[in-house]
mmCIF file of all heavy atoms in Angstrom:
data_model
loop_
_atom_site.group_PDB
_atom_site.id
_atom_site.type_symbol
_atom_site.label_atom_id
_atom_site.label_comp_id
_atom_site.label_asym_id
_atom_site.label_seq_id
_atom_site.Cartn_x
_atom_site.Cartn_y
_atom_site.Cartn_z
ATOM 1 N N ARG A 1 15.698 27.872 3.827
ATOM 2 C CA ARG A 1 15.240 28.687 4.991
ATOM 3 C C ARG A 1 14.480 27.753 5.965
ATOM 4 O O ARG A 1 14.743 27.839 7.209
ATOM 5 C CB ARG A 1 14.306 29.804 4.482
ATOM 6 C CG ARG A 1 13.954 30.785 5.633
ATOM 7 C CD ARG A 1 13.091 31.909 5.029
ATOM 8 N NE ARG A 1 12.859 32.934 6.075
ATOM 9 C CZ ARG A 1 13.641 33.913 6.365
ATOM 10 N NH1 ARG A 1 14.783 34.041 5.761
ATOM 11 N NH2 ARG A 1 13.294 34.780 7.377
ATOM 12 N N LEU A 2 13.656 26.906 5.484
ATOM 13 C CA LEU A 2 12.903 25.986 6.300
ATOM 14 C C LEU A 2 13.871 24.994 6.962
ATOM 15 O O LEU A 2 13.738 24.665 8.131
ATOM 16 C CB LEU A 2 11.865 25.204 5.491
ATOM 17 C CG LEU A 2 10.921 24.177 6.253
ATOM 18 C CD1 LEU A 2 10.223 24.895 7.410
ATOM 19 C CD2 LEU A 2 9.988 23.540 5.273
ATOM 20 N N ALA A 3 14.852 24.524 6.230
ATOM 21 C CA ALA A 3 15.838 23.614 6.737
ATOM 22 C C ALA A 3 16.633 24.241 7.894
ATOM 23 O O ALA A 3 16.913 23.587 8.933
ATOM 24 C CB ALA A 3 16.820 23.220 5.636
ATOM 25 N N HIS A 4 16.954 25.531 7.790
ATOM 26 C CA HIS A 4 17.650 26.231 8.815
ATOM 27 C C HIS A 4 16.808 26.349 10.031
ATOM 28 O O HIS A 4 17.250 26.117 11.200
ATOM 29 C CB HIS A 4 18.055 27.613 8.378
ATOM 30 C CG HIS A 4 18.699 28.446 9.402
ATOM 31 N ND1 HIS A 4 20.014 28.231 9.779
ATOM 32 C CD2 HIS A 4 18.278 29.467 10.211
ATOM 33 C CE1 HIS A 4 20.344 29.066 10.781
ATOM 34 N NE2 HIS A 4 19.282 29.860 11.035
ATOM 35 N N ASN A 5 15.566 26.654 9.910
ATOM 36 C CA ASN A 5 14.631 26.779 11.077
ATOM 37 C C ASN A 5 14.434 25.445 11.724
ATOM 38 O O ASN A 5 14.424 25.401 12.977
ATOM 39 C CB ASN A 5 13.242 27.321 10.575
ATOM 40 C CG ASN A 5 13.340 28.748 10.106
ATOM 41 O OD1 ASN A 5 14.257 29.514 10.512
ATOM 42 N ND2 ASN A 5 12.373 29.189 9.312
ATOM 43 N N ILE A 6 14.259 24.363 11.022
ATOM 44 C CA ILE A 6 14.081 23.043 11.648
ATOM 45 C C ILE A 6 15.397 22.666 12.364
ATOM 46 O O ILE A 6 15.374 22.138 13.467
ATOM 47 C CB ILE A 6 13.753 22.025 10.544
ATOM 48 C CG1 ILE A 6 12.379 22.301 9.906
ATOM 49 C CG2 ILE A 6 13.731 20.578 11.175
ATOM 50 C CD1 ILE A 6 12.066 21.456 8.643
ATOM 51 N N ALA A 7 16.547 22.901 11.750
ATOM 52 C CA ALA A 7 17.841 22.522 12.296
ATOM 53 C C ALA A 7 18.106 23.279 13.589
ATOM 54 O O ALA A 7 18.849 22.802 14.466
ATOM 55 C CB ALA A 7 18.968 22.710 11.259
ATOM 56 N N SER A 8 17.592 24.462 13.743
ATOM 57 C CA SER A 8 17.820 25.340 14.861
ATOM 58 C C SER A 8 16.842 25.046 16.046
ATOM 59 O O SER A 8 17.092 25.647 17.074
ATOM 60 C CB SER A 8 17.724 26.804 14.426
ATOM 61 O OG SER A 8 18.686 27.061 13.331
ATOM 62 N N THR A 9 15.804 24.352 15.813
ATOM 63 C CA THR A 9 14.826 24.137 16.788
ATOM 64 C C THR A 9 15.390 23.463 18.072
ATOM 65 O O THR A 9 16.278 22.618 17.941
ATOM 66 C CB THR A 9 13.583 23.351 16.345
ATOM 67 O OG1 THR A 9 12.612 23.270 17.339
ATOM 68 C CG2 THR A 9 14.012 21.904 15.978
ATOM 69 N N ARG A 10 14.807 23.784 19.220
ATOM 70 C CA ARG A 10 15.262 23.185 20.470
ATOM 71 C C ARG A 10 14.200 22.222 21.016
ATOM 72 O O ARG A 10 14.310 21.831 22.200
ATOM 73 C CB ARG A 10 15.542 24.305 21.481
ATOM 74 C CG ARG A 10 16.726 25.165 21.082
ATOM 75 C CD ARG A 10 17.117 26.050 22.243
ATOM 76 N NE ARG A 10 18.274 26.859 21.919
ATOM 77 C CZ ARG A 10 18.887 27.701 22.751
ATOM 78 N NH1 ARG A 10 18.427 27.837 23.987
ATOM 79 N NH2 ARG A 10 19.935 28.410 22.386
ATOM 80 N N LYS A 11 13.307 21.827 20.212
ATOM 81 C CA LYS A 11 12.253 20.885 20.584
ATOM 82 C C LYS A 11 12.925 19.498 20.847
ATOM 83 O O LYS A 11 14.019 19.228 20.436
ATOM 84 C CB LYS A 11 11.209 20.793 19.491
ATOM 85 C CG LYS A 11 10.405 22.047 19.211
ATOM 86 C CD LYS A 11 9.425 22.367 20.344
ATOM 87 C CE LYS A 11 8.529 23.560 19.993
ATOM 88 N NZ LYS A 11 7.605 23.839 21.065
ATOM 89 N N GLY A 12 12.142 18.714 21.568
ATOM 90 C CA GLY A 12 12.656 17.334 21.918
ATOM 91 C C GLY A 12 12.739 16.418 20.733
ATOM 92 O O GLY A 12 12.121 16.664 19.684
ATOM 93 N N TYR A 13 13.428 15.310 20.896
ATOM 94 C CA TYR A 13 13.639 14.374 19.798
ATOM 95 C C TYR A 13 12.307 13.833 19.278
ATOM 96 O O TYR A 13 12.127 13.734 17.995
ATOM 97 C CB TYR A 13 14.545 13.179 20.249
ATOM 98 C CG TYR A 13 15.943 13.577 20.431
ATOM 99 C CD1 TYR A 13 16.547 13.471 21.721
ATOM 100 C CD2 TYR A 13 16.752 13.828 19.356
ATOM 101 C CE1 TYR A 13 17.904 13.796 21.870
ATOM 102 C CE2 TYR A 13 18.053 14.093 19.458
ATOM 103 C CZ TYR A 13 18.675 14.124 20.763
ATOM 104 O OH TYR A 13 20.033 14.384 20.840
ATOM 105 N N GLN A 14 11.404 13.438 20.108
ATOM 106 C CA GLN A 14 10.200 12.816 19.620
ATOM 107 C C GLN A 14 9.321 13.840 18.889
ATOM 108 O O GLN A 14 8.755 13.502 17.791
ATOM 109 C CB GLN A 14 9.333 12.343 20.819
ATOM 110 C CG GLN A 14 9.909 11.097 21.495
ATOM 111 C CD GLN A 14 9.835 9.863 20.618
ATOM 112 O OE1 GLN A 14 8.915 9.670 19.928
ATOM 113 N NE2 GLN A 14 10.906 9.030 20.623
ATOM 114 N N PHE A 15 9.334 15.058 19.347
ATOM 115 C CA PHE A 15 8.533 16.113 18.620
ATOM 116 C C PHE A 15 9.111 16.309 17.188
ATOM 117 O O PHE A 15 8.372 16.395 16.237
ATOM 118 C CB PHE A 15 8.611 17.388 19.369
ATOM 119 C CG PHE A 15 7.880 18.559 18.777
ATOM 120 C CD1 PHE A 15 6.500 18.775 19.038
ATOM 121 C CD2 PHE A 15 8.506 19.417 17.838
ATOM 122 C CE1 PHE A 15 5.802 19.824 18.423
ATOM 123 C CE2 PHE A 15 7.837 20.476 17.311
ATOM 124 C CZ PHE A 15 6.466 20.643 17.585
ATOM 125 N N ILE A 16 10.422 16.445 17.129
ATOM 126 C CA ILE A 16 11.122 16.706 15.856
ATOM 127 C C ILE A 16 10.924 15.520 14.937
ATOM 128 O O ILE A 16 10.568 15.742 13.696
ATOM 129 C CB ILE A 16 12.676 16.950 16.045
ATOM 130 C CG1 ILE A 16 12.847 18.230 16.870
ATOM 131 C CG2 ILE A 16 13.334 16.946 14.751
ATOM 132 C CD1 ILE A 16 14.220 18.432 17.371
ATOM 133 N N ALA A 17 11.019 14.287 15.428
ATOM 134 C CA ALA A 17 10.862 13.107 14.549
ATOM 135 C C ALA A 17 9.478 13.004 13.975
ATOM 136 O O ALA A 17 9.353 12.341 12.893
ATOM 137 C CB ALA A 17 11.253 11.853 15.307
ATOM 138 N N LYS A 18 8.481 13.574 14.586
ATOM 139 C CA LYS A 18 7.107 13.539 14.100
ATOM 140 C C LYS A 18 6.757 14.714 13.299
ATOM 141 O O LYS A 18 5.582 14.743 12.798
ATOM 142 C CB LYS A 18 6.188 13.324 15.288
ATOM 143 C CG LYS A 18 6.379 11.991 16.010
ATOM 144 C CD LYS A 18 5.414 11.904 17.225
ATOM 145 C CE LYS A 18 5.613 10.538 17.988
ATOM 146 N NZ LYS A 18 4.806 10.474 19.125
ATOM 147 N N MET A 19 7.556 15.694 13.184
ATOM 148 C CA MET A 19 7.324 16.873 12.316
ATOM 149 C C MET A 19 7.095 16.531 10.899
ATOM 150 O O MET A 19 7.716 15.619 10.379
ATOM 151 C CB MET A 19 8.520 17.877 12.407
ATOM 152 C CG MET A 19 8.646 18.614 13.757
ATOM 153 S SD MET A 19 10.092 19.697 13.810
ATOM 154 C CE MET A 19 9.660 20.912 12.546
ATOM 155 N N ARG A 20 6.121 17.186 10.282
ATOM 156 C CA ARG A 20 5.735 16.884 8.921
ATOM 157 C C ARG A 20 6.932 16.881 7.969
ATOM 158 O O ARG A 20 7.041 15.991 7.143
ATOM 159 C CB ARG A 20 4.678 17.859 8.462
ATOM 160 C CG ARG A 20 4.161 17.642 7.023
ATOM 161 C CD ARG A 20 2.868 18.390 6.809
ATOM 162 N NE ARG A 20 3.075 19.830 6.903
ATOM 163 C CZ ARG A 20 3.248 20.611 5.803
ATOM 164 N NH1 ARG A 20 3.273 20.108 4.672
ATOM 165 N NH2 ARG A 20 3.414 21.928 5.998
ATOM 166 N N TRP A 21 7.749 17.877 8.153
ATOM 167 C CA TRP A 21 8.950 18.034 7.199
ATOM 168 C C TRP A 21 10.001 16.993 7.417
ATOM 169 O O TRP A 21 10.694 16.586 6.493
ATOM 170 C CB TRP A 21 9.492 19.458 7.227
ATOM 171 C CG TRP A 21 8.509 20.463 6.796
ATOM 172 C CD1 TRP A 21 7.799 21.440 7.516
ATOM 173 C CD2 TRP A 21 8.067 20.589 5.442
ATOM 174 N NE1 TRP A 21 7.008 22.129 6.655
ATOM 175 C CE2 TRP A 21 7.088 21.687 5.376
ATOM 176 C CE3 TRP A 21 8.352 19.952 4.221
ATOM 177 C CZ2 TRP A 21 6.477 22.037 4.207
ATOM 178 C CZ3 TRP A 21 7.693 20.308 3.031
ATOM 179 C CH2 TRP A 21 6.833 21.417 3.053
ATOM 180 N N ILE A 22 10.165 16.519 8.684
ATOM 181 C CA ILE A 22 11.132 15.462 8.942
ATOM 182 C C ILE A 22 10.611 14.134 8.367
ATOM 183 O O ILE A 22 11.386 13.382 7.762
ATOM 184 C CB ILE A 22 11.389 15.337 10.493
ATOM 185 C CG1 ILE A 22 12.067 16.611 10.994
ATOM 186 C CG2 ILE A 22 12.231 14.110 10.778
ATOM 187 C CD1 ILE A 22 13.445 16.864 10.422
ATOM 188 N N VAL A 23 9.313 13.871 8.525
ATOM 189 C CA VAL A 23 8.693 12.692 7.953
ATOM 190 C C VAL A 23 8.838 12.720 6.463
ATOM 191 O O VAL A 23 9.043 11.686 5.804
ATOM 192 C CB VAL A 23 7.260 12.606 8.391
ATOM 193 C CG1 VAL A 23 6.551 11.406 7.687
ATOM 194 C CG2 VAL A 23 7.162 12.418 9.911
ATOM 195 N N PHE A 24 8.659 13.975 5.853
ATOM 196 C CA PHE A 24 8.849 14.060 4.380
ATOM 197 C C PHE A 24 10.271 13.757 3.943
ATOM 198 O O PHE A 24 10.522 13.121 2.972
ATOM 199 C CB PHE A 24 8.429 15.522 3.970
ATOM 200 C CG PHE A 24 8.807 15.870 2.559
ATOM 201 C CD1 PHE A 24 8.001 15.422 1.481
ATOM 202 C CD2 PHE A 24 9.974 16.563 2.266
ATOM 203 C CE1 PHE A 24 8.381 15.737 0.231
ATOM 204 C CE2 PHE A 24 10.325 16.901 0.949
ATOM 205 C CZ PHE A 24 9.494 16.441 -0.100
ATOM 206 N N ALA A 25 11.199 14.383 4.703
ATOM 207 C CA ALA A 25 12.642 14.290 4.383
ATOM 208 C C ALA A 25 13.149 12.799 4.576
ATOM 209 O O ALA A 25 13.905 12.267 3.767
ATOM 210 C CB ALA A 25 13.517 15.201 5.233
ATOM 211 N N LEU A 26 12.655 12.151 5.617
ATOM 212 C CA LEU A 26 13.030 10.787 5.904
ATOM 213 C C LEU A 26 11.747 9.872 5.727
ATOM 214 O O LEU A 26 11.370 9.190 6.667
ATOM 215 C CB LEU A 26 13.640 10.654 7.277
ATOM 216 C CG LEU A 26 14.911 11.457 7.526
ATOM 217 C CD1 LEU A 26 15.273 11.462 9.018
ATOM 218 C CD2 LEU A 26 16.047 10.904 6.733
ATOM 219 N N ASP A 27 11.214 9.894 4.576
ATOM 220 C CA ASP A 27 9.969 9.123 4.345
ATOM 221 C C ASP A 27 10.208 7.641 4.289
ATOM 222 O O ASP A 27 11.384 7.211 4.305
ATOM 223 C CB ASP A 27 9.185 9.624 3.104
ATOM 224 C CG ASP A 27 9.999 9.402 1.809
ATOM 225 O OD1 ASP A 27 11.041 8.688 1.857
ATOM 226 O OD2 ASP A 27 9.569 9.995 0.759
ATOM 227 N N ASN A 28 9.174 6.897 4.146
ATOM 228 C CA ASN A 28 9.263 5.377 4.174
ATOM 229 C C ASN A 28 10.181 4.841 3.117
ATOM 230 O O ASN A 28 10.984 3.953 3.370
ATOM 231 C CB ASN A 28 7.897 4.753 4.099
ATOM 232 C CG ASN A 28 6.999 5.159 5.271
ATOM 233 O OD1 ASN A 28 7.428 5.807 6.187
ATOM 234 N ND2 ASN A 28 5.746 4.673 5.207
ATOM 235 N N ASP A 29 10.119 5.472 1.909
ATOM 236 C CA ASP A 29 10.901 4.939 0.793
ATOM 237 C C ASP A 29 12.357 5.199 1.092
ATOM 238 O O ASP A 29 13.172 4.332 0.685
ATOM 239 C CB ASP A 29 10.432 5.670 -0.501
ATOM 240 C CG ASP A 29 9.165 5.089 -1.036
ATOM 241 O OD1 ASP A 29 8.782 3.949 -0.611
ATOM 242 O OD2 ASP A 29 8.497 5.800 -1.845
#
């Protein structure tokens, strides 16, 4: 459900890339 909401957002690239869940999904490791 959260993945769907994030995928559907119309926010800008920089905002999305800094989202907590995007950082979690694409973490440093």
Side-chain angles (χ1 to χ4, degrees):
R1 188 176 184 85
L2 180 58
H4 178 77
N5 291 338
I6 296 171
S8 304
T9 185
R10 295 189 177 184
K11 297 286 186 180
Y13 285 114
Q14 288 293 321
F15 180 90
I16 293 168
K18 293 177 182 178
M19 289 177 64
R20 180 164 65 95
W21 293 110
I22 295 295
V23 173
F24 169 81
L26 298 171
D27 64 10
N28 297 356
D29 286 340

